[in-house]
Amino acid sequence: MKKGAVDVAAITADDFADASSALILQATDAHPFPFGPAPDGMDPSDWERMTARRQQALARDPEDCARIMVEYAEANDDQDAWKFVCAALDWHLAHGKPPPLRLLRGINEAFARWRGGESIAVVFGEKAGPKRPGRRRSSWIKHEMARSDAVMMLVYTGQGMSDDAAARKVVELHERMSPAGATPVGRSPTSVKRAFRKFFKK
C-alpha cells in the first residue's frame, strides 16, 4: 500500500461521513474560504471551529474522498452508502462542476457487474447473491442516526441533565417529529444511551 493510502478494511463509517461531507461542500460552496465575524448570537469560538473544519474539508483531495466513499460502499455492500455515492455525482453535475474521476469509475464498475449478469439489487447492496453471499452489515445510515442521537444526548447532558433524563429527552424529540407521536422504530432511552457510550465514552 502506498504511503497515505487508506486500507479498505480500515475505512470506517466516520471516514465515509467525513469524505461525503467534504464532497458536498466542494460541489456546492461558491465561496470556498469564507472569513468574517461570527453571526449574531453565535459564540465566536464556535464559529472559528466551524470555519476551520469547513476549510479543512474544502482543502481535501476530492479524488481521495471519492475513493473512500466508493470503496466503503463496495466493501460493505451498503445500499445507503451507494445512494450517497450516486448523490455525490448529482451534487457536482447539478452545480456544473466536473465530478471526481474515481466517483465515475466506481459507479461504472458497479454497472459493469450488472452488465455482466449480476442483479442490480445485488450490485448496489440491497440483497445477497451467488457471487456476494452473506448477511449485509449494519448500514451507514443507521450508524449516522446513532451518532445523531449521541450528539443530541451530549447537548442535553451538557445542560446538566442526567444520562437517563437526557436519553428520554432525545426519544421525546423524535416522538414529536414522528407521525402521530409514535415512538421511532429502534429508538429507546436504552438505545440512545448505548449510542452515547459508543461515540463519547470509548
Side-chain angles (χ1 to χ4, degrees):
M1 187 187 311
K2 64 183 179 181
K3 186 177 181 181
V6 178
D7 181 3
V8 175
I11 297 175
T12 67
D14 288 338
D15 294 331
F16 181 94
D18 291 341
S20 175
S21 297
L23 281 190
I24 291 174
L25 280 174
Q26 292 171 5
T28 61
D29 201 317
H31 305 287
F33 294 97
F35 292 97
D40 291 340
M42 177 176 278
D43 187 304
S45 61
D46 290 339
W47 174 250
E48 185 177 333
R49 283 193 294 271
M50 287 176 60
T51 301
R53 285 197 298 268
R54 187 173 185 171
Q55 290 175 353
Q56 288 168 1
L58 288 165
R60 289 186 63 174
D61 177 5
E63 290 293 341
D64 191 54
C65 290
R67 181 185 62 78
I68 288 170
M69 292 180 69
V70 168
E71 291 181 356
Y72 178 88
E74 176 70 20
N76 291 281
D77 282 333
D78 188 332
Q79 62 175 311
D80 292 324
W82 271 118
K83 289 175 183 176
F84 269 76
V85 169
C86 294
L89 174 62
D90 186 56
W91 298 326
H92 284 79
L93 296 179
H95 289 81
K97 296 184 179 179
L101 185 59
R102 186 63 183 89
L103 207 63
L104 297 176
R105 283 179 175 163
I107 294 172
N108 184 60
E109 288 164 4
F111 277 113
R113 287 171 45 205
W114 171 61
R115 294 195 304 271
E118 284 193 70
S119 161
I120 198 74
V122 173
V123 169
F124 288 107
E126 294 181 23
K127 63 180 183 180
K131 296 182 181 179
R132 304 176 76 80
R135 186 178 175 184
R136 293 293 180 266
R137 300 180 188 180
S138 179
S139 79
W140 176 72
I141 289 293
K142 290 180 180 178
H143 174 274
E144 288 303 290
M145 289 169 63
R147 181 159 67 169
S148 175
D149 287 349
V151 169
M152 286 192 288
M153 183 169 165
L154 181 67
V155 171
Y156 289 131
T157 55
Q159 295 173 353
M161 289 188 181
S162 68
D163 284 4
D164 288 337
R168 287 195 301 270
K169 190 75 171 177
V170 172
V171 174
E172 289 171 6
L173 177 62
H174 286 298
E175 288 173 348
R176 289 199 297 273
M177 296 168 62
S178 300
T183 301
V185 176
R187 277 194 170 97
S188 67
T190 299
S191 69
V192 173
K193 285 191 289 185
R194 184 165 56 245
F196 181 65
R197 288 193 296 270
K198 175 182 177 181
F199 290 101
F200 294 108
K201 292 192 173 182
K202 295 179 180 179

